[in-house]
Structure formats: C-alpha cells, structure tokens
C-alpha cells in the first residue's frame, strides 16, 4: 500500500513540477517576446530619428522650404485672419497667408504666450490650409497660456496657410508659427519650383 502511495505522490509531484516548469517557460517566453518587441520598437524609432536628423536637420540650404512668422501686431484684433510678419525662412507671405507650392508633409509648430483680459475670456486659435479644414486648433482659457504645439500635416500645392482667432483684443507675446517641409523637394513640380 505504501509503495503505491509513494508512486502516486511522486507522480503528482512530477506533474506539479512539470506544470510549474511549463508555466515558468511560458512566462519566460512571453517576457522574451515583449522585451524583443520593445527593443525592436526602440531600434525602429532610433533609425527614424537618425534618418530625420540626416535628411532634414542639416544646415538649411536654399532648397529647404521653411518659414517662421509672427502676428503683425502685439494684440490679436481681427476675428478672421491674423496678419503675419515674416521672421525668417525661405517661404513667402502673400496677402496674410503662406502660399504652398509643393505637395508634401509639413511640420507645424506654434509657440508663445497668450494673455486673456477677463477672468471668463477664452480664445481659440486655428491654423487653416483651406477654409473648412484646420491643421492646428488651440483653445486658451487661463489668464496666461503658454503655447507649445506641434503637428505634421499633408499639404497640396496651391493650399494657403493662415491663422484665425475667435476673439478680439487678446495680448500675445512671442507668438510664433513655424512650418518646415519634410518631404524632399523632388515632390515639387517644375513650374512650382520656378515660383520659389
């Protein structure tokens, strides 16, 4: 009787150990897969950053499409278009808008400080490229709002970039809208290249 009990006990112990080993193996395999996936994602991200660094963050040459603009006044006084003044860049301003001459991806960033007058004031700034389509929308509700927004958007030749506010007389300080073309200039058609 005791022999049978010992055999049964040993069998049960072996099965329990086998199950525990299988569970450990599965957990180890799962952890390895997760870790491998995470490493692969970091490698891809690193390669993308290197690619962007090599392709687009070299010193700007005359072919690079970019511009930094600021509102032409110290306060936003127009409920529709906000007038732009060019700070730097290779692109131009035409009738308060930035005309786009090349299809492609563009990086937009909006930095600065918005000061609201009253406690219940709010302001929405929208950066458009067509009347019904906006690229960037920021709503300010605090007395002072520091803006640091960035987005990538696809634009087409003949689009026009402009900014609108839904409020009058909002003080702004160092408000800068910038855009940089990320797509190579080969995406510009020859007639558009000549316009630059």
């Amino acid at each position: 009787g005791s022999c049978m009990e010992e055999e049964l006990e040993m069998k049960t112990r072996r099965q329990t150990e086998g199950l525990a080993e299988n569970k450990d193996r599965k957990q180890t395999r799962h952890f390895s897969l997760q870790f491998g996936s995470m490493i692969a994602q970091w490698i891809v991200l690193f390669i993308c950053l290197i690619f962007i660094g090599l392709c687009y963050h070299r010193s700007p040459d005359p072919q690079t499409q970019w511009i930094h603009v600021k509102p032409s006044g110290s306060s936003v006084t127009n409920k529709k278009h906000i007038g732009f003044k060019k700070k730097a860049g290779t692109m131009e301003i035409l009738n308060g808008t930035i005309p786009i001459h090349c299809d492609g991806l563009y990086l937009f960033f909006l930095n600065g400080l918005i000061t609201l007058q009253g406690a219940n004031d709010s302001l929405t700034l929208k950066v458009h490229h067509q009347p019904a389509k906006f690229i960037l929308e920021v709503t300010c509700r605090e007395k002072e709002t520091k803006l640091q927004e960035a987005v990538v958007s696809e634009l087409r030749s003949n689009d026009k970039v402009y900014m609108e506010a839904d409020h009058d007389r909002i003080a702004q300080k160092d408000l800068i809208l910038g855009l940089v073309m990320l797509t190579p200039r080969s995406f510009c058609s020859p007639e558009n290249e000549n316009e630059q």
Side-chain angles (χ1 to χ4, degrees), residues 52-64 66:
I52 288 170
L54 290 175
C55 292
Y56 304 118
H57 291 284
R58 60 181 188 260
S59 58
D61 57 52
Q63 300 299 305
T64 304
W66 67 283

Side-chain angles (χ1 to χ4, degrees), residues 14-182:
R14 267 194 234 114
Q15 283 176 344
T16 309
E17 284 172 2
L19 286 172
E21 279 178 28
N22 280 344
K23 193 176 177 186
D24 284 349
R25 257 190 246 123
K26 279 183 184 172
Q27 283 180 338
T28 305
R29 194 178 308 131
H30 181 68
F31 176 74
S32 297
L33 285 172
Q34 276 188 324
F35 188 68
S37 171
M38 189 178 73
I39 295 274
Q41 287 173 346
W42 277 105
I43 288 170
V44 168
L45 179 65
F46 186 64
I47 289 169
C48 287
L49 289 172
I50 289 173
F51 177 74
I52 288 170
L54 290 175
C55 292
Y56 304 118
H57 291 284
R58 60 181 188 260
S59 58
D61 57 52
Q63 300 299 305
T64 304
Q65 295 283 290
W66 67 283
I67 192 167
H68 293 175
V69 296
K70 60 182 183 176
S72 43
S74 62
S75 64
V76 174
T77 56
N78 189 337
K79 284 193 177 182
K80 285 296 173 191
H81 288 237
I82 295 170
F84 285 145
K85 193 160 50 173
K86 183 173 172 179
K87 244 188 127 192
T90 58
M91 297 169 79
E92 293 303 320
I93 296 171
L94 187 63
N95 298 327
T97 66
I98 304 166
I100 301 298
H101 298 293
C102 302
D103 295 351
L105 294 175
Y106 289 77
L107 170 67
F108 285 80
F109 57 88
L110 187 63
N111 294 335
L113 185 70
I114 296 288
T115 306
L116 302 177
Q117 307 295 326
N120 297 321
D121 279 353
S122 72
L123 165 75
T124 300
L125 285 173
K126 287 184 181 180
V127 178
H128 290 262
H129 66 101
Q130 290 173 11
K133 294 183 181 176
F134 58 87
I135 299 158
L136 192 58
E137 180 181 34
V138 181
T139 301
C140 308
R141 290 192 178 90
E142 304 289 322
K143 180 132 176 80
E144 283 195 346
T145 305
K146 188 169 184 179
L147 300 179
Q148 287 184 319
E149 303 292 324
V151 70
V152 173
S153 184
E154 184 178 9
L155 298 181
R156 296 279 170 214
S157 176
N158 298 324
D159 278 347
K160 289 179 170 61
V161 173
Y162 59 94
M163 192 157 57
E164 285 183 348
D166 68 350
H167 201 296
D168 274 353
R169 301 250 168 229
I170 300 295
Q172 59 81 21
K173 188 180 177 191
D174 300 326
L175 186 64
I176 300 228
L177 172 68
L179 62 144
V180 180
M181 184 179 180
L182 299 177

